[in-house]
Amino acid sequence: MREISLHILDLVENSIAAGASLVSIEVDENSATDRLVVTVADNGQGMDEEYAKKVLDPFVTSRTTRRVGLGLPLVRAATERCAGELTLETARGQGTVVRATFQRSHIDRPPLGDIRSTLLALIIGRSDVDILYVHRVDAREFTLDTREIKQTLGDVSLTDPSVISWLKEYLDQDLKEVA
Ligand SMILES: Nc1ncnc2c1ncn2[C@@H]1O[C@H](COP(=O)(O)OP(=O)(O)OP(=O)(O)O)[C@@H](O)[C@H]1O
Ligand SMILES: [Mg+2]
């Protein structure tokens, strides 16, 4: 079973491949509705309607190294195993919003996995792309916005070792309090 953090990584990789400069990731866990909703929204090139209908089936891909695309079909299958669904809102030139909904308590619901490492890898590996991460569990909320961090840092790079240690600590302590 693929962990949710790895599905998130797949979705963000799609956004980056679509030329996004800002990717917003939201994980919303709600015990009252028993839903866990992952939303990945980007300002990349988007898809036209006809193509967007097709990409939820395996085998549709714009990649050239192999002829099957698996990211979206795998996330979709994971949601459907858990009484949930995958929805896609997109338009050519307008960016894309992918929303994956799971029944939170479902026996097959994948664990969140290592969100901290996923975020760190993205932030450090692709410091040219801005990431907004919001994680909500009922009334608790954790937010990380690389645009704000970059503004605070001024000339110091996000990949500076001291910034990386700070990021690790922030993710370890503050995210742990929420999720
Ligand atoms: N956020 C997005 N913006 C624009 N196009 C997208 C986005 N996400 C997916 N697509 C399009 O849908 C296709 C299928 O995506 P999917 O993740 O299923 O497979 P892939 O990315 O091609 O391959 P894989 O994920 O297996 O490496 C992509 O090739 C791309 O053309
Ligand atoms: Mg993909």
Side-chain angles (χ1 to χ4, degrees):
M1 180 163 51
R2 206 162 166 72
E3 294 171 339
I4 288 180
S5 58
L6 296 177
H7 286 306
I8 291 177
L9 190 59
D10 288 344
L11 296 176
V12 177
E13 276 169 359
N14 284 347
S15 297
I16 293 174
S21 60
L22 173 64
V23 184
S24 102
I25 308 162
E26 190 186 287
V27 179
D28 194 351
E29 302 186 59
N30 188 312
S31 48
T33 59
D34 195 23
R35 301 267 99 183
L36 186 157
V37 185
V38 175
T39 309
V40 175
D42 69 57
N43 63 354
Q45 65 186 10
M47 289 169 261
D48 62 39
E49 206 179 325
E50 201 187 334
Y51 189 69
K53 277 190 200 141
K54 289 193 298 194
V55 292
L56 295 184
D57 299 324
F59 314 124
V60 176
T61 182
S62 55
R63 52 185 304 143
T64 49
T65 45
R66 89 178 125 74
R67 300 236 308 272
V68 272
L70 287 175
L72 290 171
L74 279 180
V75 185
R76 183 192 201 180
T79 59
E80 289 177 354
R81 268 198 301 277
C82 302
E85 59 178 358
L86 182 77
T87 61
L88 198 60
E89 258 173 71
T90 185
R92 193 96 200 138
Q94 310 248 304
T96 300
V97 181
V98 180
R99 179 165 290 126
T101 304
F102 302 82
Q103 183 192 329
R104 190 173 177 230
S105 66
H106 200 285
I107 184 123
D108 289 328
R109 203 262 289 164
L112 279 169
D114 193 351
I115 299 267
R116 294 166 191 81
S117 299
T118 299
L119 284 175
L120 263 184
L122 280 170
I123 293 170
I124 297 166
R126 292 303 305 253
S127 56
D128 53 325
V129 177
D130 280 313
I131 303 280
L132 167 63
Y133 182 75
V134 180
H135 196 137
R136 237 175 263 118
V137 181
D138 298 329
R140 304 193 301 275
E141 184 177 290
F142 169 87
T143 304
L144 185 151
D145 186 340
T146 58
R147 292 168 301 183
E148 272 174 16
I149 300 171
K150 282 175 185 169
Q151 205 163 16
T152 310
L153 288 173
D155 290 337
V156 181
S157 158
L158 259 184
T159 58
D160 187 282
S162 61
V163 178
I164 294 175
S165 347
W166 174 83
L167 270 172
K168 278 187 181 148
E169 215 161 294
Y170 181 55
L171 286 165
D172 280 342
Q173 298 193 348
D174 291 47
L175 182 54
K176 208 170 274 169
E177 279 170 24
V178 173

